[in-house]
Amino acid sequence: MKIVIAIGGNSLIKDSESISVQAQMEQVMHTGSIIAEIAQDGHDLVVSHGNGPQVGYLLRMSELAEQEIPLFPLDYCVASTQGAIGYQMQNALFNHFIDNGIHRSVATLVTQTVVDKNDPAFLHPSKPIGSFFNKEQIEEHAKLLGWSYMEDSGRGYRRVVASPAPKQIVEKDIVLAMLKNHTVVITVGGGGIPVVLEGGKIKGVEAVIDKDLASSLLAQEVSADLFIISTAVDYAYINFNKANQKALETVSTEEIRTYLSQGYFGKGSMEPKIKAALQFTEATKKTSIITSPENIHEAILGHKGTRIVFTGKDDEI
């Protein structure tokens, strides 16, 4: 099978106390062992990953050095973390393949994602990034650099950027060529570097793209047989963390859409994952799965995780 796996942030950083490069590498090695097990079964694999904390660290470094070095643009930060995290995952998988006698190549592809420059998200930036500033600092940045900002729960002011919808993966054909050679491809890190089309050319923009939505788009564009979103829980739940919580096992697109409309999923957590999985299944009529990293292999075999299956309705999300 051709499988796209979107790895969540919990697979890269264990907790807020474990943010060193070495600690991240240890966590990536654990995640890599799971992916290697799937690769050993002969599946063609594309692996994407989040990068939110890492972009935050890079922005913080840039802000601390602002008096000596110009601030890093956001597209540059996404590109940098794609390469760094990709290297860690590539290194981990290579070593797991050696240990287990798996004869597969693995490569990281720095990826650009086209967004619509007229996306309404650019008119209403809402995604907070980077450090907290006082009012004088944030107003100066807004004046000099065109930042939008918001006050954050009495803790100070933060920059906010747009989160437009992904429209096209620029390097899709390269991903397909790599898959034909059975290379495990690490790509669309952090949703991809956001770019817009201008006169037939592409230009980086200050925005962030939802990693799961971009991974869903890539899964559609490469005609994946299965799309998996890895997260912190074994299943998607309704009434999560309540006495009457219920794990969703096999669920139809019609049923999951009803749960979405009734607000059963957290807007900043499970809801975007459900939307991304639903988009893939409705577009391709193929199954998507949401589960924890440890259960990915069992989920592929049909034993774990929330499976969203097509039921014949093609409504847009």
Side-chain angles (χ1 to χ4, degrees):
M1 279 196 300
K2 187 186 297 180
I3 304 173
V4 173
I5 304 175
I7 298 295
N10 63 301
S11 301
L12 303 173
I13 295 178
K14 186 176 182 180
D15 54 56
S16 60
E17 303 299 320
S18 305
I19 64 172
S20 70
V21 171
Q22 182 57 38
Q24 290 183 57
M25 189 67 208
E26 291 171 3
Q27 189 69 4
V28 169
M29 282 295 293
H30 172 67
T31 301
S33 66
I34 298 165
I35 297 170
E37 185 179 9
I38 301 166
Q40 194 165 19
D41 290 343
H43 299 296
D44 288 325
L45 297 179
V46 177
V47 181
S48 68
H49 59 81
N51 70 343
Q54 290 83 2
V55 165
Y57 304 151
L58 194 56
L59 286 171
R60 179 59 177 158
M61 290 168 57
S62 180
E63 289 156 3
L64 290 171
E66 185 180 359
Q67 300 305 314
E68 298 187 21
I69 301 171
L71 287 170
F72 296 150
L74 189 52
D75 55 340
Y76 174 89
C77 293
V78 175
S80 298
T81 53
Q82 273 196 18
I85 297 169
Y87 151 69
Q88 289 185 312
M89 297 184 73
Q90 185 174 317
N91 180 279
L93 282 172
F94 183 93
N95 289 329
H96 281 303
F97 289 173
I98 293 295
D99 289 342
N100 293 281
I102 302 172
H103 302 291
R104 299 282 296 273
S105 57
V106 54
T108 299
L109 180 64
V110 174
T111 320
Q112 302 168 99
T113 302
V114 175
V115 300
D116 184 349
K117 64 181 180 181
N118 296 315
D119 190 304
F122 286 111
L123 297 176
H124 305 284
S126 60
K127 183 73 172 179
I129 62 168
S131 304
F132 289 92
F133 295 92
N134 63 40
K135 190 166 180 59
E136 291 74 21
Q137 289 172 316
I138 203 73
E139 287 178 344
E140 181 179 357
H141 283 99
K143 181 179 179 181
L144 294 177
L145 302 171
W147 284 10
S148 297
Y149 60 91
M150 63 179 289
E151 198 275 333
D152 192 324
S153 305
R155 296 181 294 175
Y157 294 83
R158 293 184 76 187
R159 180 186 178 191
V160 289
V161 297
S163 185
K167 296 297 184 183
Q168 176 188 346
I169 308 301
V170 176
E171 290 77 16
K172 173 199 71 174
D173 291 339
I174 303 174
V175 175
L176 284 167
M178 295 167 79
L179 287 171
K180 285 183 179 178
N181 290 322
H182 304 293
T183 298
V184 176
V185 188
I186 301 163
T187 194
V188 196
I193 304 160
V195 297
V196 295
L197 291 170
E198 290 188 355
K201 297 181 180 180
I202 56 176
K203 176 185 177 182
V205 291
E206 297 279 292
V208 293
I209 300 171
D210 183 90
K211 173 262 302 178
D212 294 314
L213 290 176
S215 301
S216 174
L217 175 62
L218 179 64
Q220 295 168 52
E221 292 190 336
V222 302
S223 301
D225 300 300
L226 181 65
F227 175 47
I228 300 174
I229 297 177
S230 164
T231 187
V233 291
D234 298 340
Y235 296 86
Y237 293 84
I238 58 172
N239 302 314
F240 183 60
N241 272 344
K242 297 179 180 178
N244 61 338
Q245 79 170 19
K246 175 186 175 183
L248 300 176
E249 296 183 3
T250 299
V251 59
S252 70
T253 51
E254 185 177 2
E255 185 179 358
I256 205 75
R257 182 179 291 283
T258 299
Y259 290 141
L260 261 177
S261 67
Q262 293 174 350
Y264 275 107
F265 307 111
K267 287 191 176 296
S269 52
M270 186 56 71
E271 183 181 89
K273 300 180 190 306
I274 294 289
K275 287 184 175 180
L278 184 57
Q279 283 186 359
F280 171 78
T281 297
E282 289 195 329
T284 65
K285 301 177 175 59
K286 296 175 182 176
T287 298
S288 54
I289 297 174
I290 298 174
T291 194
S292 60
E294 292 76 16
N295 282 322
I296 290 176
H297 193 251
E298 285 295 301
I300 291 172
L301 298 175
H303 305 317
K304 295 283 186 177
T306 295
R307 304 175 68 85
I308 300 175
V309 297
F310 184 72
T311 52
K313 293 203 173 183
D314 254 337
D315 301 326
E316 291 187 1
I317 296 172

